[in-house]
Amino acid sequence: MAEVPHFVLYEHAVGYALFKVKEFEDAGNILPQVNDSIGDVSKFSNIVNLIAFDPFKNTESALENCNSISEGVAHADLINFLQQNLPQKKKKVIIGVNDGKLASSLVESFPELKPTFGNLITEILRGIRVHFETLAKKLPHHSLSKAQLSLGHSYSRGKLDKDINLFGMRIREWYSYHYPELYKIVGDQYKYVRCAVAILDRNKSSEDAELPAKLLEIIEDEEKVAEIVEAARTSMGMDISDLDLMNIERFAARVASLTEYRQRLHGYIKDRMHSCAPSLSALVGEQVGARLISHAGSLTNLAKFPASTIQILGAEKALFRALKTRSNTPKYGLLFHSPFIGRAAAKNKGRISRFLANKCTMASRIDCFSEVPVETFGEHLRAQVEERLRYFETGEVPAKNIDVMKAAEEEAVGTRTKVLKKRKKAAKKAKKILDETAEEEADEPAPKKKKKSAVAGADEEMENVALEEKPKKKRKSKKADDEEEE
């Protein structure tokens, strides 16, 4: 039996939580009591009590802490949280954690602390996870699920990219023993993996009459296909066994599926950004725009930020470090990933970053507060940034902002009409699909219903009558109110 902890650490998508555990005279009674109380929040709240909570600053901070916890490393935010909320004398303090690696990392930071983990801690954390909304009453519960979803997407996307790069590198190392020339001919990782699956044993490539057609479908270049086939025939690579080829094929197929999944995710983000923030996407691109919205928390929050905040969004640590050391403050944060910053000269990077942040503020506000957001304004704002770059290089005077916005407004009228027509078509199509589905369900034979007694039928009829009468009363009162206002 593991020792009964004094405290339990719980990691949530919105922050770290520290729970105090009730003291038990007999350590053997706590596990049965925890198991019995997991289904009842009133009983479980008598076992643990929330004493401290530290929310993450933003989405990036949450992702950084999540990665550290998954690797069993105590992040600096976690160390500061425990330092502030645990008793000053930690020599006899027992704290329950979910992972043995994290426990070892905490011992390095707090040698006098005694972290523990195991079956008892797992059950307590399971109960906390089930009843967290009730135990943490002061937190905004409507944002917990959104935070979990956002962190899950960010964490999965990071892991997916890391796994794809690692697996792709391993396949190249493995298959290059057999066909080293393919790496030089096909540089793209996804295409290389698909070509390796199509070729497999290069000694048999001349016997496969369909191989050139398969490679042409992947690479879409006849010259490279001919080069691959010729290099396979004259390759200096060593022979490979059937078992290795089978493992390479399965491994490469997995990498190809992960890459296709990442492409689908990118397409999803692109579609969502074009629907909710088209001007911002047209100005800085889908990825940079999505990062700005994610860092701000929502498009509404981003629209409320001034241009000076958007300019250094994502560089908060560098900003506070510069203020503390009285050195130069950062010129840009997430906007550094925009192509405009890279194209500007070194002396103009700060000025173009400030100008771009100003245009991002305008684009986000147009997207947030427009009834029908369109990308027309973003395209004109992007043209303004291009003109400003030319002004820094050649001295060509750019157009005035008021003239550009008037032209954008005139062009946006027709674009909004097209968008509304597309929405109406999509709504009609969706309605048609729903009607067809309803007709198919209506054609199916209805399941046999059990006979009801006369009393039950009368009760059901009375309920239906009561339900029908309620909305009628509401309509009358609303109509009467409208007449009184007139």
Side-chain angles (χ1 to χ4, degrees):
M1 172 64 65
E3 294 181 279
V4 179
H6 301 114
F7 302 94
V8 171
L9 174 67
Y10 178 65
E11 309 96 9
H12 195 271
V14 294
Y16 292 114
L18 189 66
F19 289 85
K20 184 173 178 58
V21 183
K22 175 185 174 183
E23 296 182 1
F24 287 83
E25 296 180 359
D26 187 3
N29 294 334
I30 181 171
L31 185 58
Q33 190 167 344
V34 169
N35 291 330
D36 294 340
S37 61
I38 283 180
D40 190 353
V41 63
S42 59
K43 292 182 180 179
F44 190 79
S45 58
N46 294 326
I47 299 177
V48 296
N49 181 30
L50 179 65
I51 61 171
F53 179 78
D54 184 25
F56 296 127
K57 298 176 183 178
N58 47 48
T59 308
E60 289 188 355
S61 177
L63 179 59
E64 190 178 339
N65 280 270
C66 181
N67 290 327
S68 299
I69 293 296
S70 64
E71 295 172 1
V73 178
H75 194 270
D77 295 343
L78 175 59
I79 295 173
N80 294 334
F81 172 67
L82 296 178
Q83 187 72 39
Q84 294 174 3
N85 296 286
L86 286 177
Q88 294 182 354
K89 296 181 180 180
K90 304 179 181 63
K91 191 172 183 180
K92 296 182 180 180
V93 173
I94 303 174
I95 182 170
V97 295
N98 195 30
D99 186 21
K101 293 182 180 179
L102 181 60
S104 303
S105 180
L106 288 176
V107 170
E108 295 178 1
S109 303
F110 303 99
E112 67 276 14
L113 194 66
K114 190 175 180 181
T116 182
F117 61 95
N119 187 30
L120 173 60
I121 309 301
T122 303
E123 292 300 314
I124 294 176
L125 289 173
R126 184 164 69 92
I128 293 174
R129 191 178 299 110
V130 172
H131 305 298
F132 184 73
E133 292 187 3
T134 306
L135 297 173
K137 296 179 180 178
K138 297 181 180 180
L139 296 179
H141 296 158
H142 64 276
S143 64
L144 295 180
S145 58
K146 293 182 180 179
Q148 288 175 329
L149 182 62
S150 175
L151 181 60
H153 280 305
S154 302
Y155 181 76
S156 299
R157 186 165 57 249
K159 285 290 184 183
L160 185 64
D161 294 340
K162 185 177 179 181
D163 290 345
I164 289 173
N165 294 331
L166 179 62
F167 294 161
M169 184 176 62
R170 292 289 181 265
I171 289 175
R172 284 183 175 182
E173 292 176 355
W174 199 352
Y175 194 67
S176 291
Y177 285 108
H178 178 61
Y179 188 2
E181 293 82 4
L182 183 63
Y183 175 72
K184 297 179 181 179
I185 301 172
V186 184
D188 184 73
Q189 181 174 275
Y190 176 61
K191 292 181 179 179
Y192 177 88
V193 168
R194 292 186 63 190
C195 287
V197 173
I199 299 170
L200 287 179
D201 191 354
R202 60 173 178 78
N203 296 323
K204 301 178 181 179
S205 60
S206 58
E207 302 174 3
D208 190 357
E210 298 179 357
L211 180 60
K214 295 178 182 177
L215 296 175
L216 183 61
E217 183 181 354
I218 297 169
I219 300 177
E220 298 177 354
D221 189 345
E222 294 183 357
E223 294 182 0
K224 279 195 173 183
V225 170
E227 189 179 355
I228 291 171
V229 174
E230 180 62 23
R233 188 178 63 83
T234 61
S235 176
M236 299 292 291
M238 59 184 289
D239 293 336
I240 193 169
S241 64
D242 294 337
L243 180 61
D244 287 340
L245 285 175
M246 182 181 67
N247 289 326
I248 288 174
E249 183 179 10
R250 294 175 61 185
F251 204 40
R254 180 59 177 165
V255 174
S257 65
L258 287 174
T259 307
E260 291 167 1
Y261 175 61
R262 182 174 63 179
Q263 292 174 353
R264 290 197 298 271
L265 281 179
H266 178 70
Y268 170 76
I269 293 173
K270 186 176 180 179
D271 293 340
R272 293 300 301 165
M273 285 297 295
H274 277 290
S275 62
C276 68
S279 294
L280 187 62
S281 301
L283 176 60
V284 293
E286 295 84 9
Q287 291 187 352
V288 178
R291 288 181 181 180
L292 288 173
I293 294 174
S294 175
H295 198 84
S298 66
L299 180 61
T300 306
N301 292 344
L302 185 66
K304 294 177 182 177
F305 287 164
S308 57
T309 302
I310 293 180
Q311 181 181 352
I312 59 171
L313 203 64
E316 289 82 2
K317 289 185 179 180
L319 174 64
F320 293 130
R321 183 170 60 248
L323 295 174
K324 186 177 181 181
T325 58
R326 296 183 180 180
S327 58
N328 294 331
T329 55
K331 298 177 182 178
Y332 32 70
L334 293 172
L335 292 180
F336 175 76
H337 301 284
S338 172
F340 298 113
I341 307 298
R343 289 167 52 189
K347 63 179 181 180
N348 297 325
K349 288 186 183 294
R351 288 191 285 178
I352 199 65
S353 174
R354 185 163 54 251
F355 186 80
L356 180 60
N358 185 13
K359 300 305 174 186
C360 286
T361 304
M362 296 174 63
S364 61
R365 290 172 182 175
I366 290 171
D367 290 332
C368 182
F369 302 112
S370 295
E371 294 183 1
V372 183
V374 293
E375 60 184 6
T376 307
F377 292 97
E379 292 172 354
H380 282 74
L381 293 173
R382 185 182 182 89
Q384 280 190 293
V385 181
E386 296 280 359
E387 290 179 355
R388 187 53 60 102
L389 278 173
R390 288 197 298 270
Y391 170 72
F392 290 148
E393 294 174 0
T394 62
E396 181 183 349
V397 180
K400 292 183 179 180
N401 185 67
I402 187 170
D403 297 334
V404 175
M405 289 296 102
K406 283 183 180 179
E409 181 62 32
E410 292 175 359
E411 188 178 338
V413 175
T415 309
R416 287 196 186 100
T417 305
K418 293 179 182 178
V419 171
L420 289 173
K421 286 182 179 179
K422 288 182 180 179
R423 289 183 179 178
K424 288 180 180 179
K425 288 182 180 179
K428 287 181 181 179
K429 188 176 181 181
K431 186 179 179 181
K432 184 178 179 181
I433 293 172
L434 289 174
D435 293 341
E436 291 177 355
T437 307
E439 289 177 1
E440 291 177 358
E441 292 178 354
D443 293 339
E444 294 179 358
K448 294 181 179 180
K449 296 182 179 180
K450 295 181 179 179
K451 293 182 178 180
K452 296 181 180 179
S453 62
V455 177
D459 292 341
E460 186 175 348
E461 187 175 355
M462 290 297 291
E463 289 179 1
N464 293 334
V465 170
L467 290 172
E468 290 177 359
E469 289 178 353
K470 285 182 180 179
K472 290 181 181 178
K473 291 181 180 179
K474 288 183 179 178
R475 289 190 191 117
K476 289 180 180 179
S477 61
K478 186 176 181 181
K479 186 175 180 182
D481 293 337
D482 293 338
E483 292 176 356
E484 289 177 3
E485 289 178 1
E486 292 177 356

